[in-house]
Each structure stands twice: as C-alpha cells, then as structure tokens.
Amino acid sequence: MLREINVNGVRFRVADEGHGPPILFVHGFPLDHTMWRAQIDEFSKTHRVIAPDLRGFGGTDGALYSVSMEQFADDLAGLLDALAVEGPVVFCGLSMGGYIAWQFVQRHPARVAKLIVCDTRAAADSPEAAANRLKMADIVLKEGPEVVAWGMMPKLFAPGSSEHCPAVIASVRQTVLNSNPIAIAAAHRGMSVRPDVSSLLPTLRLPTLVLCGVYDAISPPAEMQAIADAIPNAQFALIPNAGHMAPMEQPDAVNAAIRRFLAG
Ligand code: MLT
C-alpha cells in the first residue's frame, strides 16, 4: 500500500506493506522506492516492509538547497515515528541509502536491529569528486535530469543486464528522468560533504550484511569486502551477474542472501 504521511511538515510517500518485524528499504540516488519492488513483494510476505521516497524524490516533497545524509537519516527516524513502527528495524540501504545508513546507526542506534548495506561506500568523496558533484548540481538545475541519466546509466549495470533485464534498465532511466532537479542538486551537495565513516566500522556491533554486485563499478567488490572485514559482525555476499543495482538486476539472488541473513 502506498501511503502519504506528514513528517515534521513534509509530505512523504511511502510503501508500507505486510505485517511482522519491520524492514526499512532506503533507495539510492536519484531514484525512489520503486527500485525495491522485488524486495517489497518478497519480504512483505513475512515482514512489515517500509520503503519511502526520500526527501524531494518520487512522491515526497521537501526538497532543499542541500540535504545532508544526517538530514535524510533524521527524516527516516521521524517517518518511523509517524508510522508508529515499534521496536528496531532491519535497515537496508543501497548506495546513497547506505551513506544514510551510516548516519542512521549513529544518530538513532536504538532504532536498528540489523543492518544491510548494498553497493555503497564508507569513504568520503575525494576533493575532485566533491567538486564535480557541485558542478553537476548547478548543471542539473539548468539542464534537467537528462544530464544525470546520461552520466550515470552506463555505470549502474552489469555487462549482461541489457539483455537479461532491459525492463529494469528502462525503468531506472525513467525514474532518473522523472526526478526533481532540485532534489538531485540537493542530494549531490549533501553527498559531497558526507563524512568518511571508516573509523565507525570497527565500532559497529550490529549484525550486518554487506552485499555487492560483482560488476559494481561505483562501489567495487574489493572496497565492499574491506567494509565487511572492518565490521566485527558482518557477512559479505557477492551477487553474480549484477552491477551497482544488484537488487533490481538479480532480485532472486539478493532476496535469498537477505533471507539467509535474516534467519541467521
Ligand atoms: C547511488 O547509487 O546512490 C549513487 O551512485 C551514489 C553516489 O553518487 O555516490
């Protein structure tokens, strides 16, 4: 069920399906909750699945000049309150959703039972990458989301995915093209100043699943394996025939890895 819910004056659109222990799915940049369709369908059989559109994206309002990963994390805590979610959640974030996860576990530790980070990074942007994001923020406001789709799409998928799942690629492209340029610019600005969380990783005590597409060109397997190695209670799952969008490209393999982790 898609719901609209007011959180501190901002209208959020959120998929809220199923009953049971809560799992929160947090999308990547510049997407919306629809990237998690296969996970929503699978896990709503056994869990309460909550998959919001982040501030400014999809059907959620509240775009700002810049949105920090801390702000996104606090929005999610407010959303869980507004949805009357009791007890801690399994927090599953992809890429930017993972950057938000690192902030969420620090700012709202009592709200997290287990952590799943997919195709994400612990490192901050290099100065060059951060400067490029600020440039892109200005460009997208002038030229629209096509420029983002043009730059990002080639990096998101495994080489075989254009044949194996063309509909997934088309739907991601469409979501990017539908995204609000103000939200894209705001998230770029927020990501450009996100902190390096490498020193956080050894302090985490949460059961954690680190999941990565074997062809991920944005957060490559070796970097994600290093994240798993640094977290004391982490498992690493490498997803064959998948790139950065592993949960969409190989939903069965990703869902099986998540199921094994939840059962463990
Ligand atoms: C994402 O998928 O969320 C982006 O690749 C994150 C980023 O731009 O660093």
Side-chain angles (χ1 to χ4, degrees), residues 28-29 94-97 99 133 152 156 191 194 218 244:
F29 166 88
L94 179 131
S95 200
M96 184 176 79
Y99 308 157
R133 283 199 200 271
M152 277 192 86
L156 292 182
M191 286 191 285
R194 75 184 191 280
I218 296 176
H244 191 62

Side-chain angles (χ1 to χ4, degrees), residues 157-190:
F157 301 99
S161 286
S162 53
E163 279 174 29
H164 162 71
C165 53
V168 161
I169 297 179
S171 101
V172 168
R173 178 186 298 281
Q174 200 50 55
T175 307
V176 175
L177 294 178
N178 290 345
S179 293
N180 179 351
I182 300 174
I184 296 178
H188 256 322
R189 292 183 179 118

Side-chain angles (χ1 to χ4, degrees), residues 1-2 11 21 23 29 51 54-55 104 113 115 130 137 139 176 191 249:
M1 177 177 57
L2 267 186
R11 187 181 54 99
I23 309 188
F29 166 88
L54 293 168
R55 179 183 283 266
F104 193 90
L115 181 62
I139 293 172
V176 175
M191 286 191 285
E249 297 171 87

Side-chain angles (χ1 to χ4, degrees), residues 102-131:
W102 305 133
Q103 298 309 315
F104 193 90
V105 298
Q106 295 179 83
R107 297 166 77 84
H108 308 284
R111 284 232 171 248
V112 193
K114 292 185 174 189
L115 181 62
I116 304 172
V117 282
C118 310
D119 301 280
T120 194
R121 310 188 65 198
D125 278 354
S126 66
E128 297 73 29

Side-chain angles (χ1 to χ4, degrees), residues 10-11 26 108 134 148 162 172 177 182 222-223 228 232 252 255:
V10 176
R11 187 181 54 99
V26 182
H108 308 284
L134 299 183
V148 179
S162 53
V172 168
L177 294 178
I182 300 174
E223 194 175 328
D252 293 346
N255 289 353

